[in-house]
Each structure stands twice: as structure tokens, then as C-alpha cells.
């Protein structure tokens, strides 16, 4: 349908980028990017009208998003010759719009396009030996200025290298070395660094990419003296294990997995350094608080869970209640004490779900005079229940009466 609509508007439509790359890698990908040789916005508008979808447009960039009633989205971009401005050092060659569009991209593996117009439907376009590089499992930039144009591509290179188990080509690797040596990242806005970092932390296993950032001395882009201790690798691996453990047990629970990895990354940073990181990366106040004050406040809890030999279930509950899943998992990552780990996992799998059936209304029926005593009684009932003293509703009533 996309191709038919494009042909009617007398333009060419291609599905491009990650979606096509992932077809060749046998990986699923639901992000569909369409490039139109012509006016992408006009195409999106027409297509949306005909298929009952909405669109969002960015006139300035010639891009649009088609949003279907079920929430599915398709990104549309325009490939038009007049958009391209290249650094003076690049050769000026005659290129079709789609070829130009592909040439602007980061790595050869992202330059495949499949035409959608009827008549040419399914025609694979591979201008830059993308298929060969995918087959050889190698990441290459398209030209020597790639990281000058966009230094965030260095982060992308390491992310793709680890995600796909590819190697970085020799020339590309030396261009990365050069980018690091010349510190191309100096002029990179913190916001963009944060966006790249988040993408890394959202990978299935962020640890290897973070270690590669460390190899290239790129963690200093986050903060010049991000504290890396000898336990760094172990911590990152533990964060993966702990989050996997959680995700397996609580499939339906949503939390910000990447935030657990982020906190692990800044594990040894104090409040001052954390605040500097949050300011530099322009992290939203909600997260800045989580990464700073909230994260550091877990140290007190952790040391009690690690050192106190005797603790009731209610003690553990009272220590950990109020902490969000991200923080609970972060604590599990940080502790090396088996006892503390056990206590935290017991809290998270069981204690946090314990509730009592008795309420203030029931206390009123028992002729107990309302007042602060109510919350004390209810708290005592909950603690007794946590400690396994009360089993039935009747037990709760009897306990409250006493
Ligand atoms: N791109 C680029 N330079 C960047 C970022 C993106 O050239 N700094 C290009 C890539 O070629 C990519 C396309 O823009 O194919 C879309 O990028 P993105 O949305 O990040 O998609 P993917 O490459 O598919 O990445 P992911 O699989 O992580 O979604």
C-alpha cells in the first residue's frame, strides 16, 4: 500500500535502515523507516488520509510520523538533493537522492534499502557493500568525516559492535581512536550524550558496551572523573543478573531497567559528582533525585541489612518499604553480602505484597476510640502478619483487640 500511494504521487518509496539490516540478521525490528524520493510529508499526509491514520510532521526536516489507530508508527523522511550539505573535503559526485540519503548515514550496515513501488517492489538497493559487511560481521563508516559530522556515532559503533557481535573495521577503529584523541566530544551537548548512553543502557546486556567505552576512555565524556573501581566489571555483570532475575519473576511489572544500570555505572560517585553528571547530561529532576539523594540514601539501609545479625521480617519490611523497584534492585547489585541479598529478595518477592484485611472501620466496630492509636494498631497487625504470627482474618481481629 505504501508503494502504491508513492507511485500515485509519482515518487519512489523505500524501506530503509535498521529494519532492512535486521532482516538480513534474522532479528525482529518493528521500527519502520520509509524514505521517499520526493516530498515525504505530502506522501505521509496522503497515505494517512487514505488509511485512516494521523500524522505528526516536522516541516523543517521534511519528516513525518504516520500513526495508525492501534498505535503502530511509521517514520517517513524525504530524500531530496537540495537538502545535502557536505563538508568541503568530501568529493562531489553525482548521486541519486536515495543514494545520497544512504551516504549520509552512519555505517554501511545501515545503508540497505528495499523499494516498495509496484513494479519494483522488493528491489534491494545496496550501494555501499552493506550485504558483504553484514555477512563479514564488520562495522564500517561510509567516509572519513563520519565521526566529525556526528561524534555520537562512536557510541553507536560500540553499541552495535556488542549487540550484533560484530568487529569494528580497521579504518573505522582508527577513526574512533582519532575522535577520542582529538576529543570530538568536547562540543557534544550533554543531552545527546545522555540519549546515547540511555540507548546503551537499554540494550539487552549493556555491560560489554560500557566496558568498551572504558577501553576507549570514553566514560570521561559522562564525567571527567567518573569513579571506576576494581569491582566495575563485576558490578555491571551483577546488574544484568539481578535485572534478569527480576524480569523473569515479574514479567508484567514495569520499571526502568536502564536506570538500575545507570546507577550501577555511577555506583562510586558521591552526591557532588552525581549532581555534576545530572547537570551536564541535563537529566530530568525526577531522575536526578533518584540517581543522587535516593540512591545514596540506600547505603544506610544496606549497611544495616548486611551487618545486623538478627532481623525480623517486619524489620526488613520497614527498612525497605518506600523504595521503588529500581532502588531495590540497585541495592541487590551493590551488596556482596549473601544475607543482605536474601533479605532484599525476600522483601521484593514476598514481604512487599503482604497486606492486612482489617481496617479503621473494623476498629471502630470494636468500640476502639478513634485517634493516633488506630495507625499504631494497624501497623502492629501488619508487623505481626509479616512475622508470620497471624494467618486468618480472625487472627487479625483477635490481635487488634489485645
Ligand atoms: N543514523 C545516523 N547517524 C546517527 C544516528 C542515526 O546516520 N547518529 C542513521 C542510521 O543509519 C540509522 C537511521 O539513522 O539507520 C535511524 O537510526 P536509529 O533510529 O537509531 O535506528 P537503528 O539504526 O535501527 O538503531 P536501533 O536498532 O538501535 O533502533
Amino acid at each position: 500500500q505504501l508503494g502504491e500511494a508513492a507511485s500515485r504521487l509519482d515518487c519512489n518509496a523505500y524501506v530503509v535502515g535498521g529494519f532492512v539490516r535486521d532482516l538480513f540478521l534474522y532479528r525482529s525490528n518493528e521500527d519502520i523507516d520509509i524514505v521517499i524520493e520526493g516530498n515525504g510529508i505530502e506522501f505521509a499526509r496522503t497515505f494517512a488520509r487514505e488509511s485512516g491514520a494521523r500524522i505528526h510532521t516536522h516541516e523543517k526536516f521534511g519528516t513525518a510520523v504516520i500513526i495508525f489507530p492501534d498505535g503502530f508508527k511509521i517514520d517517513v523522511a524525504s530524500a531530496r538533493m537540495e537538502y545535502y550539505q557536505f563538508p568541503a573535503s568530501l568529493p562531489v559526485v553525482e548521486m541519486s537522492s536515495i543514494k545520497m540519503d544512504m551516504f549520509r548515514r552512519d555505517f554501511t550496515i545501515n545503508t540497505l534499502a528495499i523499494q516498495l513501488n509496484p513494479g519494483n517492489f522488493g528491489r534491494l538497493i545496496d550501494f555501499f557493500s552493506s550485504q558483504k559487511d553484514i555477512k563479514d560481521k564488520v562495522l564500517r563508516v561510509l567516509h572519513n568525516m563520519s565521526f566529525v559530522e556526528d561524534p555520537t556515532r562512536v557510541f553507536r559503533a560500540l553499541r552495535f559492535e556488542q549487540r550484533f557481535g560484530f568487529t569494528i573495521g580497521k579504518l573505522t577503529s582508527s577513526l574512533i581512536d582519532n575522535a577520542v584523541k582529538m576529543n570530538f566530544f568536547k562540543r557534544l551537548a550533554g543531552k545527546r550524550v545522555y540519549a546515547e548512553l540511555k540507548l546503551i543502557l537499554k540494550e539487552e546486556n549493556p555491560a560489554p558496551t560500557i566496558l568498551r567505552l572504558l577501553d576507549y576512555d570514553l566514560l570521561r565524556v559522562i564525567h571527567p572523573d567518573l569513579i571506576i573501581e576494581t569491582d566495575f566489571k563485576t558490578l555491571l555483570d551483577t546488574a544484568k543478573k539481578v535485572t534478569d532475575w527480576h524480569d523473569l519473576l515479574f514479567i508484567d511489572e514495569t520499571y526502568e531497567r536502564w536506570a538500575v544500570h545507570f546507577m550501577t555505572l555511577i555506583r562510586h560517585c558521591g552526591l557532588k559528582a552525581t549532581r555534576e553528571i545530572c547537570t551536564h547530561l541535563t537529566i530530568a529532576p525526577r531522575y536526578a533525585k533518584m540517581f543522587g539523594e535516593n540512591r545514596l540514601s540506600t547505603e544506610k539501609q544496606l549497611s544495616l541489612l548486611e551487618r545486623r545479625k538478627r532481623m525480623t521480617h517486619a524489620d526488613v519490611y520497614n527498612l525497605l518499604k518506600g523504595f521503588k523497584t529500581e532502588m531495590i534492585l540497585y541495592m541487590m547489585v551493590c551488596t556482596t553480602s549473601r544475607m543482605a541479598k536474601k533479605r532484599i529478595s525476600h522483601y521484593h518477592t514476598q514481604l512487599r505484597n503482604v497486606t492486612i484485611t482489617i481496617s479503621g472501620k473494623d476498629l471502630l466496630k470494636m468500640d476502639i476510640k478513634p485517634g493516633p492509636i488506630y495507625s499504631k494498631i494497624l501497623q502492629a497487625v501488619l508487623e505481626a502478619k509479616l512475622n508470620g504470627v497471624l494467618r486468618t482474618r480472625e487472627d487479625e481481629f483477635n490481635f487488634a483487640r489485645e
Side-chain angles (χ1 to χ4, degrees), residues 17-19 21-22 29 31 33 104-107 110 150 152-153 156 159-160 163-164 192 196 199 203:
F19 181 84
R21 172 199 71 211
D22 287 346
N29 187 330
D31 294 336
D33 289 304
R104 280 165 55 232
R105 291 177 184 247
D106 48 3
F107 308 110
N110 288 332
D150 185 351
T152 65
R153 288 175 172 170
R156 290 174 63 85
R159 180 159 61 89
F160 289 142
R163 185 202 288 173
F164 302 134
R192 296 198 64 205
E196 287 306 319
L199 288 174
E203 288 287 316

